[in-house]
Every structure is written in C-alpha cells, then in structure tokens.
Amino acid sequence: QQPVQSPQAVILREGEDAVINCSSSKALYSVHWYRQKHGEAPVFLMILLKGGEQKGHEKISASFNEKKQQSSLYLTASQLSYSGTYFCGTSNQGGKLIFGQGTELSVKP
Amino acid sequence: GAGVSQSPRYKVAKRGQDVALRCDPISGHVSLFWYQQALGQGPEFLTYFQNEAQLDKSGLPSDRFFAERPEGSVSTLKIQRTQQEDSAVYLCASSLASVGYEQYFGPGTRLTVT
C-alpha cells in the first residue's frame, strides 16, 4: 500500500526550515528518501533501516519511528538548490520500494 | 561507468509496435530494479533482479511486459504491442544488494505511444 506524504507542497524562503512526513500502514523494514527535479532522475538522499541504522548525505537529516511506521525528513537552512519533488519509498520485505505521491518543495530567494 | 545509464532516452512508438529499453547498472551492483513513472506521480515498481534471477515481477502490468538480465549486468525491459497507457518514463535503478541498500537511478527512458 502506498505511503502517504505530507504536506503535498510547501513554499519556503531561502534559509527557512521544512519537515516532510511519510506514513505507512504496514510494518516497514526501511525508508528511502529521494529528491527529483523536473525531467531528471530521482537522487538518493537518505536511507533509514529498522534497528536505527541510517546512511545519507551529511546535510540531510531524517528520523524513522518504527512503531508508528513513520519517517520525517528535515531540511534546514534551505537553499535554492533544495527545490524539487521529494519522495519517500518504503520497503517491508525484499528490495522493491513503494513510493509516496511526492511533496513539491519550492525555495524562493 | 560512474552511474546508471539508460537508452534510448526518448522513444516514440506507434500503437502496436514492440519496444526494448536498455539499462546499464553501476558496475558491481547485484540488484537491478525497473520502475514506471507517470507524469506527476511517484515511481511505481515493475520488477527486480538479483544477478540474473528475476526475484519479483509482481508490478508488471500485463503479459506484454517482459524483462531480462541474462548475464547479471545489463537489463532489457521489453514491451510488446504497445498501448497508449504505456506512455510513461521508465526508470532503472541499481544497488549493491536488494535489501538495506540505497538504489541509484538512471535518467530514464521517456516512452510516448501515439
């Protein structure tokens, strides 16, 4: 079942912070976060695994609440380059990812 | 190569034609995934391989879709008798292993069926 992302869209000024949430109704093994700009491939940001391990870019932080099947992506001191659509992808077994519908982030000067 | 490559980048097919989309994964990546992305939507899983074995093909929308990875490296997604609803971007991703590792995506093939 597709995870639910919120908000659907957010507009920020440069330097502002944002939180994007991802919620699943199924028990999760891992949550993956990607950013996609128009016409480009999704770019890996962060992976969070059951048990607490996480890997990703230094400037990105995220959390994973295993009991609630929820993850949040924290974007701090946003830059213009952060603009794009953010997707969470969830996995409960095997390797396939089920992606949310996306959160469109727009950072303005 | 440095990243996942896909070809062609754009493909226009007439309804009823067969198409073949190629994916060249990152060297050494055992797992390879195919996703379909409609405009304004997130990627939707189609199928994945671990080496040459196709472990999950539950996302293939019909028996017109077929994927292979005969030598455990390059993969081809074939669509027979294309229909308009097949129009989408087809993304390929690879990872070191199927579970617990990040997936790196290629630039995709935009398929338009007229």
Side-chain angles (χ1 to χ4, degrees):
Chain A
Q1 193 166 359
Q2 186 180 39
V4 176
Q5 289 185 231
S6 63
Q8 287 189 315
V10 59
I11 300 174
L12 298 175
R13 291 285 180 192
E14 252 186 308
E16 291 181 337
D17 302 339
V19 180
I20 301 173
N21 301 300
C22 175
S23 179
S24 175
S25 59
K26 288 191 169 185
L28 300 176
Y29 176 77
S30 64
V31 179
H32 304 229
W33 287 96
Y34 290 84
R35 177 173 58 223
Q36 187 175 32
K37 295 183 184 284
H38 183 69
E40 298 181 8
V43 173
F44 168 75
L45 297 176
M46 176 75 72
I47 179 174
L48 304 105
L49 301 174
K50 185 177 179 179
E53 185 181 353
Q54 55 179 257
K55 295 177 277 187
H57 292 272
E58 292 178 1
K59 295 188 177 181
I60 301 286
S61 65
S63 64
F64 179 20
N65 186 322
E66 295 172 30
K67 287 185 179 179
K68 293 185 177 181
Q69 289 91 248
Q70 292 175 349
S71 178
S72 295
L73 183 71
Y74 304 97
L75 302 170
T76 57
S78 59
Q79 305 172 17
L80 295 177
S81 62
Y82 287 11
S83 293
T85 303
Y86 289 75
F87 292 101
C88 68
T90 59
S91 173
N92 58 0
Q93 62 179 30
K96 75 179 190 184
L97 295 180
I98 307 298
F99 285 90
Q101 80 279 20
T103 294
E104 190 170 349
L105 179 75
S106 182
V107 181
K108 300 197 181 296
Chain B
V4 178
S5 60
Q6 293 186 244
S7 61
R9 291 293 314 279
Y10 303 92
K11 177 70 179 177
V12 178
K14 291 188 176 178
R15 185 180 167 195
Q17 282 184 332
D18 298 347
V19 298
L21 313 180
R22 176 189 167 106
C23 173
D24 207 328
I26 294 172
S27 178
H29 278 195
V30 166
S31 298
L32 184 147
F33 304 81
W34 283 99
Y35 294 88
Q36 180 190 61
Q37 187 173 29
L39 192 63
Q41 303 294 317
E44 283 197 27
F45 171 79
L46 294 175
T47 185
Y48 90 92
F49 295 83
Q50 185 163 300
N51 295 307
E52 68 278 3
Q54 190 173 18
L55 297 188
D56 188 337
K57 54 182 181 179
S58 61
L60 296 177
S62 77
D63 58 9
R64 296 186 295 105
F65 287 70
F66 171 76
E68 60 182 5
R69 193 186 185 199
E71 297 178 359
S73 179
V74 171
S75 176
T76 304
L77 176 68
K78 297 179 179 177
I79 309 173
Q80 297 177 325
R81 304 181 303 282
T82 51
Q83 303 294 316
Q84 280 197 313
E85 61 263 28
D86 300 335
S87 295
V89 175
Y90 290 85
L91 294 166
C92 173
S94 71
S95 68
L96 281 171
S98 59
V99 179
Y101 287 86
E102 58 271 33
Q103 297 180 20
Y104 292 96
F105 282 82
T109 295
R110 181 177 295 280
L111 173 65
T112 303
V113 181
T114 60

